[in-house]
Amino acid sequence: MSLDPMDQDIEALDERLAGTALRPQDAGYDAARVIFNGMIDKRPAVIARCRSVGDVQLALGFARDHGMPVSIRGGGHNVAGHALVQDGVMIDLSLMRAVEVDAEALLAHAQPGASWLDFDTATMAKGLVTTGGTVGSTGIAGLTLGGGIGHLMGSYGLTCDNLVSADVVVADGSIVRAGPGGDAELLWGLRGGGGNFGVVTSFTYRLYPLGPLYGGFLMFAWDHARDAFRLYREVTSSAPDALTCSFVALTDPASGHRFAGISACWNGDAASGEAATKVLRESVPVAVGSLQEMTYADAQSIFAEIPYGLRHYWKGHFLPAMPDAVVDGTIDAFSVAPSAKSVILVEAPHGAAVRTPTEHAAFTHRDARYNLSAFSIWESPDDDAENVAWARAYGSMLEPHARPGATYLNYAGADEPVSSVRAALGGGTYERLVQLKDRYDPDNVFRLNQNIEPSKT
Ligand SMILES: Cc1cc2nc3c(=O)[nH]c(=O)nc-3n(C[C@H](O)[C@H](O)[C@H](O)COP(=O)(O)OP(=O)(O)OC[C@H]3O[C@@H](n4cnc5c(N)ncnc54)[C@H](O)[C@@H]3O)c2cc1C
């Protein structure tokens, strides 16, 4: 038996958990600390692999008793890497992934470690759906708390807009219900204010009947990229709620050639979808791909999975409009991307996603019409400098066209300062979130996130 007091305390925690408490020397520790962004290499003192709300409370109590910092891991996708903590307690929720669907009430109750694939599988089985992340392995938790841009946002709003209640283990270890029958203000804060107020142990979402869908992905030769991007701007500037499109600049791994791509998801039948997307299919020569009737599973696999462990640095901005300078700057930027794994993604929030009032959700940026991001992705640490510089240069090109601080916090990197979180959320919203933070986490226990600082720090 170990004599080290910390080891003994972790062993005692392990015995009390329904899940497990892993120390650096334990089997499974290294696998449990793998997150999406391979640039983040932190070693928690203990990884609490929780299986219940009680486990979350025990892990939090352990951190409090030992004066250790805390991180929360949902799907582990956040590129800032806040899911990992150095020498602290990582509350790992990835074993808690059940999703229960109440088809009559049109609600889904999801545990916090569920991925979008877990979620979609459960809801689709009942013919229901909500706006979710577009890549299956992404965690529902972080994505929801930071906003949630998806193929159905034009019809149903952002993911956070569809969060109808949540249970939260707050800093003192108690459980607070956010929403009906509980704290409405906390629910407002969870819809865009991130993981600042506690560990969410249950998310309840509004669901919608799943009808027919039409869409897919069209790829255009790089020589036509500028025309394809202008076409995308034209289509998205007046798209009906039912049509959500994204623009992607990417390199085909098989040929090594650059392509421009447009994804389209029409929330309706094939005949009306065909009519609504005619201009997309016929204005610029399509190199590869077609649009057709599709299932929601097809829509959710338009964008390929990206393996965990690659190196990532992302920069982007929300823009209120897309001037020619941004169209040209985007195509020029991708033409010199140093890594063939990198992409530029342009999303177009519209419809219900931009009509939702600030009173409903802390998520700001309802005035934004585009979200443009350089996702710099590469393999070797030797190439860090040039790939980071490339994404930063793209961000700088966009900046003069953006409202100050208009950044999607779900895509923000670890080097985003607190001042930019304040700017991203906007003065009034930020101050209202500080009041919530003061109420639920005055000592900033939950600070490994896009942090809202309590007043007393
Ligand atoms: C491949 C890929 C695809 C993506 N696609 C989309 C997309 O389609 N739409 C979109 O909007 N975004 C998308 N994103 C961004 C995504 O929204 C963020 O990365 C988000 O943080 C992922 O959530 P997670 O639970 O997987 O992350 P994690 O890294 O596990 O968590 C991120 C942060 O969220 C907080 N958090 C997590 N769980 C909890 C909890 N239970 N309680 C309280 N706080 C918690 C913590 O602060 C944590 O640090 C994508 C990201 C990747 C890497």
Side-chain angles (χ1 to χ4, degrees):
M1 179 171 162
S2 164
L3 295 175
D4 179 81
M6 179 57 77
D7 269 0
Q8 287 180 4
D9 287 357
I10 297 174
E11 276 177 20
L13 174 67
D14 183 57
E15 276 165 27
R16 296 181 69 196
L17 292 180
T20 47
L22 297 174
R23 300 160 304 176
Q25 64 270 34
D26 290 331
Y29 172 88
D30 277 320
R33 75 183 182 93
V34 171
I35 58 168
F36 183 75
N37 187 353
M39 282 185 99
I40 315 293
D41 181 22
K42 297 185 199 161
R43 299 183 66 80
V46 53
I47 300 176
R49 307 210 73 200
C50 299
R51 285 198 179 275
S52 66
V53 177
D55 280 4
V56 172
Q57 291 172 303
L58 284 168
L60 202 53
F62 183 93
R64 195 174 42 238
D65 294 347
H66 292 80
M68 284 180 171
V70 170
S71 70
I72 311 171
R73 185 201 196 278
H77 258 214
N78 197 284
V79 288
H82 293 313
L84 272 180
V85 58
Q86 182 65 39
D87 300 325
V89 179
M90 174 176 168
I91 298 181
D92 177 1
L93 303 164
S94 58
L95 301 177
M96 297 172 67
R97 50 202 311 156
V99 181
E100 271 175 37
V101 178
D102 181 341
E104 232 166 79
L106 295 177
L107 294 174
H109 308 284
Q111 287 190 313
S115 67
W116 283 105
L117 182 61
D118 298 328
F119 187 92
D120 293 341
T121 305
T123 62
M124 278 189 300
K126 300 279 172 71
L128 298 167
V129 76
T130 200
T131 308
T134 54
V135 174
S137 60
T138 311
I140 61 160
L143 182 140
T144 303
L145 297 170
I149 294 172
H151 294 306
L152 295 176
M153 66 181 159
S155 302
Y156 307 134
L158 300 175
T159 309
C160 68
D161 298 334
N162 291 294
L163 181 68
V164 295
S165 68
D167 290 338
V168 189
V169 175
V170 295
D172 68 8
S174 60
I175 301 170
V176 177
R177 166 65 52 94
D183 185 345
E185 182 71 0
L186 180 57
L187 179 63
W188 171 85
L190 294 176
R191 292 173 175 154
N196 271 285
F197 311 108
V199 185
V200 179
T201 52
S202 172
F203 293 83
T204 297
Y205 297 88
R206 180 172 318 291
L207 300 176
Y208 304 86
L210 174 57
L213 296 177
Y214 176 90
F217 193 58
L218 301 175
M219 282 167 62
F220 306 88
W222 193 244
D223 285 348
H224 297 302
R226 238 168 270 266
D227 291 340
F229 200 10
R230 287 203 189 98
L231 171 64
Y232 172 77
R233 175 176 64 180
E234 181 193 324
V235 168
T236 51
S237 64
S238 59
D241 293 4
L243 180 63
T244 296
C245 297
S246 297
F247 177 88
V248 192
L250 75 163
T251 305
D252 171 39
S255 64
H257 293 148
R258 290 181 165 87
F259 283 90
I262 298 179
S263 71
C265 179
W266 170 258
N267 188 13
D269 63 46
S272 56
E274 242 179 80
T277 58
K278 187 172 185 310
V279 62
L280 269 183
R281 288 178 284 114
E282 295 183 359
S283 308
V284 177
V286 174
V288 186
S290 60
L291 305 183
Q292 59 227 327
E293 197 170 352
M294 61 180 181
T295 64
Y296 189 60
D298 294 333
Q300 289 294 75
S301 46
I302 289 176
F303 298 132
E305 284 285 345
I306 305 173
Y308 278 49
L310 295 171
R311 302 176 82 75
H312 287 260
Y313 186 84
W314 297 5
K315 270 284 178 218
H317 286 290
F318 282 112
L319 301 192
M322 181 93 73
D324 286 342
V326 169
V327 172
D328 291 338
T330 297
I331 302 305
D332 293 347
F334 193 69
S335 300
V336 297
S339 167
K341 294 188 184 307
S342 296
V343 296
I344 289 179
L345 173 68
V346 183
E347 295 156 313
H350 70 120
V354 300
R355 282 197 299 270
T356 307
T358 310
E359 212 25 61
H360 178 76
F363 183 87
T364 26
H365 315 300
R366 302 289 180 176
D367 56 340
R369 291 299 171 270
Y370 294 100
N371 183 32
L372 296 94
S373 314
F375 294 164
S376 198
I377 310 173
W378 67 103
E379 268 176 285
S380 166
D382 296 342
D383 300 331
D384 284 0
E386 64 170 339
N387 284 288
V388 168
W390 174 72
R392 284 192 177 145
Y394 185 66
S396 303
M397 185 279 291
L398 296 175
E399 218 171 302
H401 304 281
R403 179 172 58 73
T407 298
Y408 185 27
L409 289 175
N410 265 348
Y411 293 170
D415 57 355
E416 223 50 73
V418 168
S419 58
S420 82
V421 177
R422 180 188 288 267
L425 288 163
T429 298
Y430 188 83
E431 294 314 323
R432 197 169 150 186
L433 289 167
V434 169
Q435 287 176 22
L436 261 183
K437 184 77 173 176
D438 287 348
R439 179 135 47 100
Y440 288 113
D441 187 19
D443 299 321
N444 212 2
V445 170
F446 303 105
R447 59 181 175 275
L448 276 173
N449 43 41
Q450 307 301 337
N451 198 229
I452 293 156
E453 290 186 319
S455 323
K456 75 178 183 188
T457 50

